[in-house]
Amino acid sequence: MAIAYSPTQTRLSLISSKPSLSPPQQQTLLKFPQKKTRFWCQAGQTGFFSRLGRLIKEKAKSDVEKLFSGFSKTRDNLAVIDELLLYWSLPETDRVLDELEEALLVSDFGPRITIKIVESLRDDILAGKLKSGAEIKCALKNSVLNFLTSKGSKTELQLGYRKPAVIMIVGVNGGGKTTSLGKLAHRLNKEGVKILMAAGDTFRAAASDQLEVWAERTGCEIVTAEKDKAKASSVLSQAVKKGKQEGFDIVLCDTSGRLHTNYSLMEELIACKKAVGKVVNGAPNEILLVLDGTTGLNMLPQAREFNEVVGITGLILTKLDGSARGGCVVSVVDELGIPVKFVGVGEGVEDLQPFDAEAFVDAIFL
């Protein structure tokens, strides 16, 4: 017997793979149905989540204008590069590269990446590979793109093959976790995905109320704690069970905000991760860390700690619309090797944008 998974259904169906039987053999099987024959399992892929990944990626391409406007402050900060390269000449190389280095540092590209970029440009200029300001600008963009794609290429959601897929949202207080979860639910809901929210932030009194507003706003169902001071792990476990029993596509799990230095609360995340894994094998499929872009490179210690504790699979960078520090995206990907999956470029419900490396580079370097 081979187990096949239907693309349009969540239940398993059995398809016989045994050879045809003679009438006497068939009668024997009917008489003794309790006798089991050997069967083999073939892992099937519904194609649902892979199609969803493609849709979101295509949407990122079409939402370039939002990304472009969202990074306007970073772009303004880097506009000096165009002025520098417009009148570039070989004798002016050192001065121009020094000012280019300063512009990148101000935009929070980070000293390590900035030095790599500038020294690579310097070597190529002196070797005669770059002979004009336009060529230097092109090489600069390609260098930044390479940093983003060499270590953080899997920017689409990795949701596996089983339903429900489980996504946990984690991060420090005030980073925008619940808002990001609501905006993500809105985006997924638009693609026809059946979403269940789990109010796992059991520490903050208003957290469930805030998530309930988002559930109503996006037309999603929600699971909340049945009593005060309930364990977050039990709420998430209950939600994933409901998602499994009632055929939800994705369960979005909110969690309490916590400082990365609070080890007891960080350990609670481990309990949450284990709880959902007991209900659905391999869950959570994604653990997305929300980072406040206005903090710039200060987000790196947070990311290191969260990743060490629960294993972050992707990043959501928020509040980049209010910051000229868009270069921090490159630093985070380069240092941690964790892909950015979404960026917040505004306060509207549509302003959580799928991250696309090429679109990002075009948005910050006009």
Side-chain angles (χ1 to χ4, degrees), residues 232-234 236 266-277 310:
S233 56
S234 67
L236 300 192
M266 292 293 279
E267 285 177 358
E268 185 199 53
L269 283 182
I270 300 174
C272 290
K273 182 179 179 179
K274 288 180 178 177
V276 299
V310 288

Side-chain angles (χ1 to χ4, degrees), residues 212-229:
E212 284 177 359
V213 170
W214 274 108
E216 185 177 350
R217 192 174 181 184
T218 56
C220 299
E221 291 189 43
I222 185 171
V223 172
T224 59
E226 296 177 353
K227 57 183 180 180
D228 292 339
K229 297 183 179 179

Side-chain angles (χ1 to χ4, degrees), residues 153-172:
S153 58
K154 294 184 178 179
T155 56
E156 67 275 10
L157 291 173
Q158 306 292 313
L159 300 177
Y161 309 115
R162 294 184 182 88
K163 295 182 184 181
V166 180
I167 300 175
M168 275 178 59
I169 308 292
V170 303
V172 301

Side-chain angles (χ1 to χ4, degrees), residues 31-312:
K31 281 183 182 179
F32 304 101
Q34 75 278 10
K35 185 178 179 180
K36 295 182 180 179
T37 57
R38 292 187 65 189
F39 66 93
W40 58 280
C41 295
Q42 180 177 339
Q45 179 176 345
T46 65
F48 176 84
F49 290 131
S50 58
R51 288 197 304 274
L52 176 64
R54 287 196 300 270
L55 279 170
I56 292 176
K57 206 159 191 176
E58 288 167 8
K59 196 70 176 174
K61 299 285 187 184
S62 65
D63 285 346
V64 151
E65 282 189 28
K66 282 187 175 292
L67 193 67
F68 190 80
S69 61
F71 283 104
S72 59
K73 290 190 177 181
T74 300
R75 189 166 56 253
D76 291 345
N77 222 35
L78 294 171
V80 65
I81 292 175
D82 288 320
E83 298 174 21
L84 288 170
L85 297 179
L86 183 63
Y87 301 106
W88 170 83
S89 63
L90 192 58
E92 291 287 300
T93 295
D94 287 340
R95 180 188 65 80
V96 168
L97 290 181
D98 285 346
E99 293 190 35
L100 187 150
E101 179 179 311
E102 184 178 347
L104 293 176
L105 288 171
V106 169
S107 297
D108 264 8
F109 273 81
R112 192 159 63 96
I113 283 182
T114 298
I115 291 171
K116 281 184 180 180
I117 292 172
V118 171
E119 291 309 310
S120 176
L121 291 175
R122 190 189 308 276
D123 291 344
D124 287 346
I125 290 170
L126 296 178
K129 296 178 182 178
L130 304 176
K131 300 178 181 179
S132 69
E135 289 182 356
I136 295 172
K137 175 75 172 289
C138 185
L140 170 62
K141 292 174 68 174
N142 286 335
S143 181
V144 173
L145 182 61
N146 183 58
F147 278 116
L148 290 170
T149 54
S150 61
K151 292 185 178 180
S153 58
K154 294 184 178 179
T155 56
E156 67 275 10
L157 291 173
Q158 306 292 313
L159 300 177
Y161 309 115
R162 294 184 182 88
K163 295 182 184 181
V166 180
I167 300 175
M168 275 178 59
I169 308 292
V170 303
V172 301
N173 298 293
K177 291 187 310 306
T178 304
T179 301
S180 295
L181 187 151
K183 290 179 180 180
L184 180 57
H186 172 75
R187 177 171 287 279
L188 293 171
N189 201 28
K190 282 177 62 178
E191 306 299 344
V193 179
K194 188 179 180 184
I195 299 291
L196 178 64
M197 294 183 178
D201 186 350
T202 55
F203 282 96
R204 189 163 57 96
S208 290
D209 295 338
Q210 185 183 357
L211 198 61
E212 284 177 359
V213 170
W214 274 108
E216 185 177 350
R217 192 174 181 184
T218 56
C220 299
E221 291 189 43
I222 185 171
V223 172
T224 59
E226 296 177 353
K227 57 183 180 180
D228 292 339
K229 297 183 179 179
K231 287 187 177 181
S233 56
S234 67
V235 176
L236 300 192
S237 177
Q238 179 189 349
V240 176
K241 285 176 183 175
K242 177 181 173 71
K244 188 176 181 180
Q245 292 165 359
E246 300 183 17
F248 284 86
D249 296 316
I250 297 177
V251 180
L252 290 177
C253 301
D254 195 15
T255 60
S256 304
R258 65 205 71 218
L259 290 173
H260 56 290
T261 53
N262 190 323
Y263 296 107
S264 61
L265 286 180
M266 292 293 279
E267 285 177 358
E268 185 199 53
L269 283 182
I270 300 174
C272 290
K273 182 179 179 179
K274 288 180 178 177
V276 299
K278 288 178 181 177
V279 182
V280 174
N281 189 34
N285 304 82
E286 291 272 14
I287 301 178
L288 302 181
L289 173 63
V290 176
L291 293 170
D292 183 341
T294 62
T295 61
L297 294 175
N298 290 325
M299 67 176 68
L300 283 171
Q302 298 173 24
R304 289 190 202 107
E305 291 295 333
F306 276 95
N307 187 45
E308 187 174 334
V309 172
V310 288
I312 302 302

